[in-house]
Amino acid sequence: MELKAIIFDLDGVVCSTDEYHYLAWKSLSDELGIYFDREINNRLRGVSRMDSLDIILERSEKLYTPEEKQELATVKNGRYVELLQSLTPENVLEGIPEFLAACRESGIKTAIASASKNAPFIIHKLNLENKFDYIADAASVEKSKPAPDIFLAAAEGLGIEPEHCIGIEDAKAGIEAIHAAGMKAVGIGSADTLNEADLLVSETKALEFKKITEFFVK
């Protein structure tokens, strides 16, 4: 089986905006009088904005209408986007530029599969528009991770069948989504949470193009 494409999650794989998400959700939760901490925040990794809001509202005594939830999600996103203004190319995670260059030199297509509707804006701030052949974000699919939709959308955007793709993720929901899409999964992080990954590396700087391609054909 020939490897033709590598599809990357964005947050935690290409860059890290976890802290920005946390600060934006924390600000909203404090305003609503709902308890929110970093442990709860960890449950939001790889999860869509509306599903993340539902997790936060689990501790609320008030029941919110769909319209009210949409308004709250919009407020959170506005605060998050404000924080994103400080992003620069220096926020690209270590090892990613070299890995992307190796993909390009070898003729391997690359795409982003992100749960964030802000993915195109983030890629622009990181000055990586010309490093990816396609960007699939949450606005382009109906179901978020762990459903396979976003990875299937990325493969379709590249014009490549899923079985010829590898997905790279740092969240359990993302690994599940990659497998559901019929792709092999590379996890970045700890075996405690990413034990279902087909190949696991501790951090982005440990990504080695040769190792990834050899793993695919095994």
Side-chain angles (χ1 to χ4, degrees), residues 1 29 33 54 65 70 76 81 84 101 111 128 136 138 147 152 161 178 184 195 197 200 204 218:
M1 185 69 71
S29 298
D54 283 337
T65 66
Q70 187 59 60
K76 180 270 175 179
V81 170
L84 289 179
L128 291 177
L152 292 174
E161 293 299 316
I178 293 169
K184 288 189 175 182
N195 60 307
L200 184 66
T204 55
K218 287 183 180 180

Side-chain angles (χ1 to χ4, degrees), residues 4-5 109 111 133-134 152-162 164-165:
K4 297 182 179 180
K109 296 288 187 180
D133 299 293
Y134 189 76
L152 292 174
E156 183 178 357
L158 293 172
I160 296 174
E161 293 299 316
H164 293 286
C165 302

Side-chain angles (χ1 to χ4, degrees), residues 1-211:
M1 185 69 71
E2 181 184 1
L3 175 62
K4 297 182 179 180
I6 297 179
I7 301 174
F8 300 74
D9 174 41
L10 179 55
D11 197 14
V13 174
V14 175
C15 68
S16 180
T17 63
D18 277 355
E19 187 66 12
Y20 299 158
H21 278 295
Y22 170 74
L23 292 172
W25 283 125
K26 178 65 173 170
S27 172
L28 180 66
S29 298
D30 288 348
E31 198 172 284
L32 297 174
I34 299 172
Y35 180 77
F36 182 72
D37 60 17
R38 292 187 182 276
E39 185 175 345
I40 299 171
N41 188 63
N42 286 336
R43 293 176 58 196
L44 313 185
R45 296 180 67 189
V47 178
S48 72
R49 189 184 309 160
M50 296 307 297
D51 288 343
S52 293
L53 178 61
D54 283 337
I55 290 173
I56 290 171
L57 294 181
E58 288 173 356
R59 292 173 175 266
S60 173
E61 296 180 357
K62 176 182 176 180
L63 293 178
Y64 290 85
T65 66
E67 293 76 18
E68 288 173 325
K69 286 183 178 181
Q70 187 59 60
E71 184 176 344
L72 291 176
T74 299
V75 169
K76 180 270 175 179
N77 188 59
R79 295 174 186 178
Y80 174 64
V81 170
E82 285 180 13
L83 293 167
L84 289 179
Q85 299 298 328
S86 64
L87 275 180
T88 73
E90 292 184 0
N91 291 106
V92 177
L93 292 176
E94 191 174 356
I96 292 300
E98 295 80 4
F99 190 82
L100 289 172
C103 290
R104 187 57 54 94
E105 290 171 8
S106 301
I108 301 295
K109 296 288 187 180
T110 56
I112 289 289
S114 174
S116 173
K117 294 181 180 180
N118 297 299
F121 176 72
I122 293 171
I123 291 296
H124 170 71
K125 294 291 288 184
L126 298 174
N127 196 27
L128 291 177
E129 291 105 326
N130 64 343
K131 303 300 181 182
F132 292 99
D133 299 293
Y134 189 76
I135 298 175
D137 64 25
S140 63
V141 297
E142 182 177 346
K143 296 180 181 178
S144 61
K145 304 170 187 177
D149 300 33
I150 195 72
F151 283 96
L152 292 174
E156 183 178 357
L158 293 172
I160 296 174
E161 293 299 316
E163 59 265 29
H164 293 286
C165 302
I166 282 176
I168 303 181
E169 265 282 359
D170 74 320
K172 184 178 186 295
I175 297 296
E176 293 176 5
I178 293 169
H179 283 154
M183 304 175 186
K184 288 189 175 182
V186 174
I188 298 177
S190 168
D192 293 340
T193 55
L194 302 179
N195 60 307
E196 295 180 4
D198 301 300
L199 177 68
L200 184 66
V201 298
S202 59
E203 51 193 336
T204 55
K205 67 180 181 181
L207 282 172
E208 299 177 17
F209 182 76
K210 182 181 179 186
K211 182 178 181 179

